[in-house]
Amino acid sequence: MSAAPENQFHSDLYGGRLTIDVDAISRNWRVLKDKLGGKSECAAAIKADAYGTGQKEVGRALFAAGCRTFFVAVPTEAIALRQVLPEAVIYALNGLLPGTSGPYLEHNIRPVLGSLAEVKDWIALCKSSDRSLDAAVHVDTGIHRLGLSPEEFSQTLGDAGMMGPFVPSLLMSHLACGSTPSHAMNRRQLELFREVTAPHAHLPRSLANSAGVLMGEDYHFDLVRPGISLYGGQAIDDDPNPMTPVAKVEARIMIVRDVPEGDTIGYGAMHTAKRPLRNAVVAAGYADGMLRRAGSTDERPGGFAMISGHKAPILGRISMDMITLDVTDIPEHLLERGTYVEMLGPNVATADLAAYAETIDYEYLTSLGRRFERVYAPLT
């Protein structure tokens, strides 16, 4: 059975609503672009369905704003993006799996070659075509995921006979600790990247993710690849976030009820009422991307929602389809059945909610709203 099209139902049938502001995403891209002073190209990472906000809609908006280069993770994402952005440069970060060169060429997708085996396969393809085919080469400067070792990188790119007609369209690496600018790893990676790419400085180079953009010109090189900052996320842990929120999750109140002092709330009886409470049960849960770890216990507080300017702490465990909120001190007229409650958005920062769940805002954004009505509109 195929998946039902989004928003095929009347809006009242949805338990929640995910509002996405693509104009805010475009504004965030312009903020980052302005930090480059015209010296580097500002690309965009829109993998994982543009961090959960909709790859096609976000791709169109960013292209209209002036973005011309996009990074996704896998070739299926790249092919889907090509359908809506026929003129864009599109890189697939996860590289070249065996036997997949045909679709890359057919759809004008550029693989980011992340191993010596991938580079050799691409070189063989270039030699058989007697021309250079666009692809990036990734050198590992310390994160130890994808990428040629510095030795492999230097030996391969320095061997004209081995390279044949292949001229990489981009040389790149990836920061391991950009969210902590003071971490010594950042400077070590920067210096190693400079060193190994120096003989090839005539080729475009890229090191900076969102944090790298904010860390300054040393990290910018020829092209930057922001991701989380485009979506309003916190790229640098301890600095004020200069980006604008782009998504709002709202869930509807199903019932408001009284909880006597001493009674427990939710699965596992993890949260005990310390006073007589009123709670509101809303139609959202971990199946909608509201992570279970953000629930509360008697030992630790959980996250919170906002109801017309009033903070409503989460009570007990988050379940698959429901969350219980403490609404004891919220005026009753704001708690009508069916009322929308802000679970995440301008008043509930993704990074704050992620902290309660002991995770990062990336995980929240890429998990949100599987069953919600999806609306593309300015946030209000």
Side-chain angles (χ1 to χ4, degrees), residues 11 33 40 72 104 133 172-173 179-180 189 207 235 268 309 312 319 328 352 367 370 372:
S11 60
K33 180 176 181 292
S40 307
V72 295
Y104 276 95
L133 301 167
M172 60 177 282
S173 192
S179 61
T180 310
Q189 286 191 268
L207 178 63
S319 57
T328 308
D352 291 341
S367 302
R370 296 185 182 97
F372 292 157

Side-chain angles (χ1 to χ4, degrees), residues 217-355:
E217 184 176 348
D218 283 353
Y219 292 86
H220 293 167
F221 291 92
D222 301 290
L223 180 144
V224 300
R225 317 181 305 270
I228 190 65
S229 287
L230 297 176
Y231 311 100
Q234 183 92 15
I236 294 179
D237 290 340
D238 297 325
D239 287 356
N241 186 2
M243 314 316 293
T244 301
V246 306
K248 180 166 67 172
V249 173
E250 299 166 288
R252 304 181 79 189
I253 294 175
M254 296 186 287
I255 188 173
V256 177
R257 63 189 310 151
D258 295 323
V259 180
E261 182 178 359
D263 277 13
T264 59
I265 299 158
Y267 282 127
M270 303 299 289
H271 189 112
T272 306
K274 303 297 191 298
R275 59 172 179 160
L277 298 177
R278 279 192 306 157
N279 68 4
V281 181
V282 297
Y286 58 76
D288 305 294
M290 305 307 295
L291 302 180
R292 187 173 183 265
R293 295 186 300 278
S296 73
T297 71
D298 288 340
E299 286 71 42
R300 63 180 290 272
F304 63 92
M306 292 295 290
I307 303 175
S308 298
H310 298 270
K311 194 171 184 177
I314 294 173
L315 295 175
R317 282 182 172 161
I318 292 172
S319 57
M320 184 181 292
D321 314 301
M322 287 173 274
I323 295 174
T324 301
L325 303 174
D326 184 351
V327 297
T328 308
D329 301 319
I330 297 178
E332 190 170 351
H333 71 276
L334 299 175
L335 304 173
E336 294 182 3
R337 184 163 60 97
T339 296
Y340 282 99
V341 173
E342 183 181 336
M343 306 301 298
L344 180 151
N347 302 298
V348 186
T350 317
D352 291 341
L353 196 56

Side-chain angles (χ1 to χ4, degrees), residues 13 37 56 62 67 96 114 118-119 127 152 166 201 205 208 225 227 234 252 269 281 286 299 333 335:
L13 293 174
K56 292 182 178 181
L62 288 174
C67 185
L96 187 69
E118 291 181 1
V119 172
K127 288 181 176 178
E152 290 173 333
F166 176 44
R205 294 180 289 175
R225 317 181 305 270
Q234 183 92 15
R252 304 181 79 189
V281 181
Y286 58 76
E299 286 71 42
H333 71 276
L335 304 173

Side-chain angles (χ1 to χ4, degrees), residues 8-92:
Q8 73 167 16
F9 303 113
H10 189 281
S11 60
D12 287 342
L13 293 174
Y14 291 93
R17 180 168 60 203
L18 172 58
T19 303
I20 298 161
D21 187 344
V22 293
D23 289 337
I25 297 174
S26 295
R27 289 195 298 272
N28 285 339
W29 179 81
R30 291 190 188 98
V31 168
L32 296 169
K33 180 176 181 292
D34 288 345
K35 291 183 179 296
L36 305 175
K39 298 178 182 179
S40 307
E41 179 184 356
C42 191
I46 60 172
K47 59 185 179 175
D49 198 30
Y51 289 52
T53 62
Q55 176 184 270
K56 292 182 178 181
E57 292 81 3
V58 171
R60 289 190 187 102
L62 288 174
F63 193 87
C67 185
R68 292 296 178 266
T69 302
F70 297 84
F71 289 81
V72 295
V74 295
T76 50
E77 292 177 330
I79 292 168
L81 184 61
R82 175 61 71 209
Q83 294 172 0
V84 296
L85 297 182
E87 299 176 6
V89 174
I90 302 174
Y91 285 96

